Amino acid sequence: MDTRIDDYIASLPEWQQDICRQVRALVHEADPDVEETIKFTNRPYFVLDGNICALLGTKDHVNVMLYDKAIVPDPHNIITSGHGNKTARMISVYRDQTINAPALVEMFRHIIANNRQRRSVRGRR
């Protein structure tokens, strides 16, 4: 765990802290080898063979940016925006909103598998 991410989360309102802690736990549940870092000055990123997701607290919600190149299936319709984005899509989580944990872990696992596959292909060149 990266203490800078602890600091970022602690700077948010309590309800956003709860959301960020849940997402943080879920990304580590998806794969215990996930690493944490800070990019773009203060934004928490979770990485494993490439970006998986990032967190951003806003005025009235938390954005979970999924770095999936818009290819990971979303059968539970948890993605809220960025459907046409070729780099990342986003899940906006509002106060008192329940996170669909199984669906999010499944998406994280897909992103990690895709990251590993891209790394493997690049390594063979």
Side-chain angles (χ1 to χ4, degrees):
M1 299 278 195
D2 189 322
T3 58
R4 297 173 299 167
I5 294 181
D6 294 326
D7 294 341
Y8 177 84
I9 292 172
S11 74
L12 300 172
E14 189 172 323
W15 66 271
Q16 288 185 341
Q17 291 179 34
D18 292 341
I19 292 168
C20 289
R21 285 186 191 111
Q22 285 179 349
V23 172
R24 186 185 203 183
L26 293 171
V27 74
H28 286 288
E29 179 182 326
D31 192 308
D33 291 333
V34 168
E35 296 179 5
E36 301 180 349
T37 191
I38 295 288
K39 295 185 182 186
F40 303 105
T41 308
N42 70 343
R43 188 168 301 154
Y45 270 73
F46 300 89
V47 298
L48 183 58
D49 294 324
N51 292 332
I52 301 164
C53 69
L55 298 173
L56 178 64
T58 70
K59 185 175 181 177
D60 65 346
H61 64 280
V62 173
N63 285 327
V64 181
M65 277 79 73
L66 301 171
Y67 290 92
D68 69 339
K69 303 197 183 303
I71 60 173
V72 172
D74 181 22
H76 304 283
N77 296 313
I78 62 173
I79 293 176
T80 57
S81 65
H83 291 49
N85 190 319
K86 294 185 187 221
T87 303
R89 296 182 287 175
M90 186 168 49
I91 299 169
S92 298
V93 184
Y94 292 84
R95 178 184 280 207
D96 299 323
Q97 182 179 348
T98 301
I99 295 173
N100 184 336
L104 191 53
V105 169
E106 182 180 324
M107 291 188 90
F108 288 153
R109 287 182 176 147
H110 276 301
I111 294 167
I112 291 165
N114 289 343
N115 286 355
R116 285 181 169 146
Q117 183 178 19
R118 278 193 298 278
R119 180 176 164 235
S120 173
V121 169
R122 283 191 306 257
R124 285 189 230 147
R125 291 181 189 176

